Amino acid sequence: MADQAEAAKTDILASDEWQKAVDYSITDEDIERQRALLGFDQAAKTREYIQTATEDNIRNFAHGCGDDNPLYCDPDYARKTRWGGMIAPGMFVGMINKPMLGDPVPDEIKALRKSLFRGIHVFVSGSQWDFYRPVRPGDTIYSFNGDETCEVKASEFAGKSVIKVRRDVKVNQRGEVVAVYRILSVLTERKTAAKKGKNLSIPPAHYDDEEFAKIEEVYANEKVQGAAKRWFEDVEKGDSLGQQAKGPLTVTDVIVFHAGGYGFVPYAPTANRLAHKNRKRIAPFYVKNEQGVPDVAQRLHWDPKWAQAIGNPMAYDYGVMRENYLYQYLSDWCGDDAIILHVHDEIRKFNYMGDVQMVTGEVLTKRQEDGQNLVDVAVKFVNQRGEESVRATATIALPSKDNPLPMHREVPRDLALKAAQMMARHWELGGK
């Protein structure tokens, strides 16, 4: 009996703490409140780990994604390119933010948001990016955002779920729109996912020396197009974009992604006295672990016991990690002079610890539009189980013999005006 009692203390599923953590449901009231919030934009007051780009944090972020492209990592190399210096990988702009000052949130909006979807698990299921200019060292990034859509669906993983899309407009210190980032999030009930246990039978990956050598061979053969132009005239429909490997996923991969600058906003997990303050701020986000220590619910990305407690066989990556790996794949293929204009991706499967992703792509079409020479491409990530875990498309402007230096698209007029108004208000309120 003593042994059973001791086991119960360390079994998350048997603990009162776990029961409290999963005793939350998606309610009709929550859904209606979420829908009432659609279309409301506000200045983002979040302070990410990185607020202003530098050569060092751009390089560190690239390295945190496993990207050694010298355009992002080597100032001497970058000075000789069309950009005249280092620029950041496009999706870096989604990781950085300085608080933007804006008008107070109306009381009715505050009431709608209060305890909205309390205790419900959220994970990123895809995104859409439109890029309008690069981030350079010295650029400070602000943003304003709001939810655009909200749908209710039945999820095979966790029963009833809510699918919502938030639009983040990323703006630099000059009031210029850098990118628009639309984030597709899935909200699920922890208790439903745990009860269904759909994925619990998936065995952990294991590689013998021969299997791992094949992965290493893929890495050894990867190429960065770099300064060599990939001419529009030389690309045809059906052309391969080559193959890259991502993984096998380790906890180290998650750590270095965070170390490169991916923050924890809005939950802001931290250590020691700051962790104490955070536990007081958002107590439901902290759930006791097997040592009886309140730890963040977000630890499912590195803590296998907590991941299993909410219905997954192992810890798994952030969808945002694979989105950045996707950008690296596209950038490696198209070269320094090309411009990635648009990316759309769907995160279709979990990427568990030990999983390896093989990335392949092909050219779908080539076309001319507004003086630009464009290619549309499709990309997919396939894991060692033969499952397609990411599906994506992108539009890239390539250099051509009559237009060797393609340009970014113009920002839509209404969006440029709103961004200018938001930044003007920031400066009026004393922002810097």
Side-chain angles (χ1 to χ4, degrees), residues 205-220:
H206 183 271
Y207 306 90
D208 59 29
D209 290 346
E210 183 178 349
E211 290 168 330
F212 194 76
K214 291 179 180 178
I215 298 170
E216 293 281 68
E217 185 178 358
V218 174
Y219 278 120

Side-chain angles (χ1 to χ4, degrees), residues 105-381:
V105 177
D107 289 341
E108 59 268 27
I109 298 295
K110 290 181 180 178
L112 289 169
R113 289 175 174 169
K114 186 176 181 181
S115 299
L116 181 63
F117 295 119
R118 180 184 175 97
I120 299 300
H121 182 62
V122 182
F123 59 91
V124 173
S125 184
S127 71
Q128 179 172 297
W129 282 93
D130 290 290
F131 299 102
Y132 294 106
R133 53 180 40 84
V135 172
R136 299 175 178 272
D139 282 349
T140 298
I141 300 298
Y142 305 84
S143 63
F144 60 92
N145 58 53
D147 292 331
E148 286 190 324
T149 63
C150 173
E151 299 178 54
V152 180
K153 290 190 176 181
S155 162
E156 63 178 24
F157 169 67
K160 186 178 185 180
S161 61
V162 171
I163 316 294
K164 67 170 187 168
V165 174
R166 188 185 79 187
R167 183 189 72 167
D168 280 26
V169 180
K170 310 296 288 189
V171 184
N172 65 22
Q173 73 276 14
R174 294 178 293 276
E176 300 166 331
V177 176
V178 175
V180 175
Y181 181 21
R182 288 179 169 86
I183 307 163
L184 191 155
S185 298
V186 179
L187 290 75
T188 62
E189 298 172 346
R190 294 171 183 159
K191 61 184 176 183
T192 308
K195 287 177 181 177
K196 291 178 79 73
K198 175 181 177 293
N199 295 327
L200 286 175
S201 61
I202 296 175
H206 183 271
Y207 306 90
D208 59 29
D209 290 346
E210 183 178 349
E211 290 168 330
F212 194 76
K214 291 179 180 178
I215 298 170
E216 293 281 68
E217 185 178 358
V218 174
Y219 278 120
N221 289 325
E222 292 180 4
K223 292 180 174 60
V224 178
Q225 185 71 12
K229 289 183 183 288
R230 186 172 293 281
W231 297 106
F232 176 76
E233 289 84 354
D234 296 336
V235 173
E236 298 297 338
K237 177 181 178 180
D239 283 356
S240 169
L241 275 59
Q243 182 183 45
Q244 288 191 354
K246 305 298 177 188
L249 181 68
T250 65
V251 172
T252 302
D253 297 338
V254 178
I255 292 171
V256 297
F257 188 63
H258 278 302
Y262 179 59
F264 289 104
V265 170
Y267 304 115
T270 185
N272 303 321
R273 183 166 59 244
L274 286 175
H276 158 75
K277 292 180 179 180
N278 213 40
R279 289 192 291 270
K280 299 300 182 185
R281 181 178 71 92
I282 48 171
F285 186 63
Y286 286 81
V287 183
K288 287 182 181 178
N289 62 21
E290 57 269 30
Q291 285 82 42
V293 180
D295 199 358
V296 296
Q298 194 170 358
R299 69 186 190 266
L300 51 80
H301 292 292
W302 53 84
D303 183 340
K305 289 188 177 180
W306 178 237
Q308 290 163 8
I310 63 168
N312 269 300
M314 291 153 277
Y316 55 92
D317 73 349
Y318 294 97
V320 179
M321 292 173 67
R322 274 177 283 165
E323 290 174 344
N324 279 273
Y325 298 164
L326 166 65
Y327 190 93
Q328 177 191 0
Y329 176 78
L330 295 170
S331 179
D332 282 357
W333 177 79
C334 67
D336 298 344
D337 291 336
I339 296 177
I340 300 170
L341 299 174
H342 173 85
V343 178
H344 175 269
D345 65 82
E346 301 171 11
I347 308 297
R348 305 176 70 84
K349 294 285 184 180
F350 289 99
N351 183 29
Y352 295 114
M353 290 297 159
D355 283 0
V356 65
Q357 310 290 323
M358 290 298 169
V359 189
T360 57
E362 67 172 332
V363 176
L364 295 178
T365 59
K366 55 185 294 188
R367 55 196 170 91
Q368 294 180 310
E369 181 180 296
D370 298 329
Q372 295 270 58
N373 297 287
L374 308 178
V375 292
D376 298 311
V377 303
V379 180
K380 61 182 179 181
F381 289 42

Side-chain angles (χ1 to χ4, degrees), residues 86-98:
M86 277 176 58
I87 61 173
M91 292 183 184
F92 175 76
V93 73
M95 310 296 124
I96 65 177
N97 203 74
K98 184 173 183 178

